[in-house]
Amino acid sequence: MVVTHLALELRFQGKKLRGFSCRLTRSAHGLLPESSWMVAAQILLPYLMSGLGMVGAGIVMDEVQHWEVFEEISEVFILVPALVGLKGNLEMTLASRLSTAANTGQMDGAQQQWRMVLCNLALTQVQATVVGFLAAVAAVGLGGLTRGRVDIIQASVLCASSVTTAFIAALSLGLVMVAVIIGSRKVGINPDNVATPIAASLGDLITLSVLAGVSNLFFCYRDTWYLPPAVCGFFLLLIPVWVMIARRSPPISEVLKSGWQPVILAMSISSIGGLILDKTVSNPNFEGMAVFTPVINGVGGNLVAIQASRMSTYLHCWSVPGALPFIMSDNCPGPFANLCSSDVNSKSARVLILLVVPGHLLFLYTIHLLQGGHNAMTPIFIVFYLCAAQLQVGILLYVATLMVRWLWRRGLDPDNFSIPYLTALGDLLGTGFLALSFRLIMMVSSTGSGV
């Protein structure tokens, strides 16, 4: 598809037009027209795969919550949303950047492709190591505030577990993302529709499994006091190597300088969700919540990441940073107008929000078949759960519209800034709404039984 782009510049002196210039460019790269059915068809399979991956993560979470390391060092639960959120902070952001690069022809040449891949992977390793360390510090701090003390041995186990998990998860998922995006372009599929769901499908399961295994290993060798600090120090010493590789690409070098704020703030938001999780999984009234938390959080983050990635690609193809396309230049739409207008972004938002209920019903049924969780799949539970999930995704899609517009108007790339905030907000909303649902179910059950 050939895209013709006309850039018109008007020069005024006061209120008088003194001149103008125009530039006409033609490009073989651009967005192919997509119907709602085409968008749904491309999203559906990766979405279902990602949901089943999150179900697997929930089953793992339900199992490992009873391990000795999770019972002795409950702050590991605070790490869970922050580290699982790395797929939103890093892998989904990586997928969005590479999808935009692929759709705009920046990865067509072999040399361009390899430089883009290597520099992006190096960037994710820098960010993963730093965020993993800061997430552990936040977990230790929040745990210390609630407990009133800090155990040095437990703190070192947390730090080593967090940094190691972040490194392994970021490297493995980053390689998968590169393969998916290059492969999807070769077979004619829009990477924006498939890359982020696949990152989500593997991200939760891999991260939780690695965190459980690594933290259990360090906990078993906690008497060898120098092992956790040595491992943590080794990964921190690799940071300068990754920085040198990442700086070979000017755009990635810029992200390396300016891209820390969204990643760190998103980690902080996710840690608050982790604190909620830490306080609820140990409460008998919330028993069974652990298995559903990765599912509701993952689905919300997955769907909003698709929307943000598609909007970013659309803006990169049809406008320049600082100016919205004419069709988006109106005032920000309201929550309902965001879903009901005729533009391409509203079309994809409608598709995404219609996938919430059927997807979650399938995931709940799968959990029931696998006998995960400790509460019965009663109609009242399903209704409250689906309401929480629908409300979470509706809020996220509207916030995504406002945030992407706001970032683009200020000359910031939504690929680098929007997804970390949105997935972290998804973790916070999902955990909060799920805890509220359990509380409401308990109140309704108590009222019904006359207690």
Side-chain angles (χ1 to χ4, degrees), residues 120 216 432:
N120 271 282
N216 189 58

Side-chain angles (χ1 to χ4, degrees), residues 8 28 30 39 76 109 129 134 163 195 222 234 255 295 310 331 351 364 428:
L8 179 64
V39 173
V76 178
T129 305
L134 293 178
V163 172
R222 62 189 180 279
F234 170 74
V255 176
V295 179
R310 289 177 58 88
N331 294 328
V351 171
L364 289 175
L428 182 59

Side-chain angles (χ1 to χ4, degrees), residues 200-213:
S201 67
L202 299 174
D204 290 1
L205 184 58
I206 289 175
T207 304
L208 273 176
S209 301
V210 172
L211 176 61

Side-chain angles (χ1 to χ4, degrees), residues 51 62 101-102 106 111 118 145 172 270 328 345 352 389 411 413:
D62 190 50
Q106 299 176 41
Q111 186 174 358
L118 288 175
L145 287 175
S172 56
S270 295
M328 296 176 65
N345 295 312
L352 293 172
D413 189 350

